[in-house]
Amino acid sequence: MNEETALKRRVIEKPWEDGPRLEFAAWCERAGDRAQGEFIRAQVARAQVHWRSEEAQRLFQEEMRALWGRTKGTTWWGDFEAVLRRYRERTGKNSLSMKDVRGCVGGYGGDLADVVAVAAEMFRTEPIERLWVGAG
């Protein structure tokens, strides 16, 4: 198992803890993906402050700068997108969506049957904390 995979596994095993996320952010920066590291750090920090505070607004701006700073055509949610692509190819459905939580895919949802159909794979590949059923 390479270092990236091992770090992602730690985030998946303890989705409610910020330490593994911050370790992954540091690895991203060392590996040359500064934007993803900054995005994770900003989301983790914003989760610790009141959502209406000036600090939360400043951190949100950092998140947006990091999103715009990523290399065009790259994704940080490759596992999630691969699950969705396989499901769409298999069923022709496109009802699932995701929510990033503290820098990672932390929730997903859609129609009940679709959420259930990909649940095992999603919980194996992403640090899922939240699910929603319906309009998402």
Side-chain angles (χ1 to χ4, degrees):
M1 181 180 310
N2 66 30
E3 186 176 6
E4 178 183 14
T5 303
L7 288 166
K8 284 182 176 180
R9 175 65 35 211
R10 289 181 56 199
V11 172
I12 291 166
E13 289 171 354
K14 297 183 178 183
W16 54 90
E17 291 185 13
D18 291 335
R21 290 170 195 266
L22 294 173
E23 289 175 28
F24 182 62
W27 178 87
C28 290
E29 292 167 348
R30 286 193 311 274
D33 193 349
R34 183 174 165 217
Q36 184 174 7
E38 289 174 353
F39 179 77
I40 294 168
R41 287 181 193 287
Q43 283 214 325
V44 167
R46 190 163 60 100
Q48 305 303 315
V49 299
H50 189 278
W51 68 276
R52 294 181 70 185
S53 70
E54 288 183 25
E55 179 68 1
Q57 297 306 310
R58 185 189 68 74
L59 290 164
F60 178 74
Q61 294 302 317
E62 283 186 26
E63 290 174 35
M64 294 303 100
R65 278 194 297 278
L67 282 173
W68 283 104
R70 68 182 167 171
T71 306
K72 185 176 181 173
T74 63
T75 178
W76 296 332
W77 300 284
D79 294 336
F80 177 79
E81 290 175 350
V83 171
L84 289 185
R85 186 181 59 255
R86 285 191 297 273
Y87 188 69
R88 278 192 297 263
E89 289 169 356
R90 196 169 60 244
T91 67
K93 293 182 175 182
N94 191 25
S95 74
L96 295 170
S97 60
M98 59 80 75
K99 172 152 182 51
D100 52 286
V101 175
R102 297 186 336 275
C104 301
V105 174
Y108 81 101
D111 295 338
L112 178 60
D114 300 330
V115 168
V116 171
V118 299
E121 191 169 8
M122 289 303 300
F123 280 93
R124 189 173 56 254
T125 62
E126 304 295 342
I128 302 297
E129 297 178 35
R130 303 172 187 155
L131 296 174
W132 61 88
V133 176

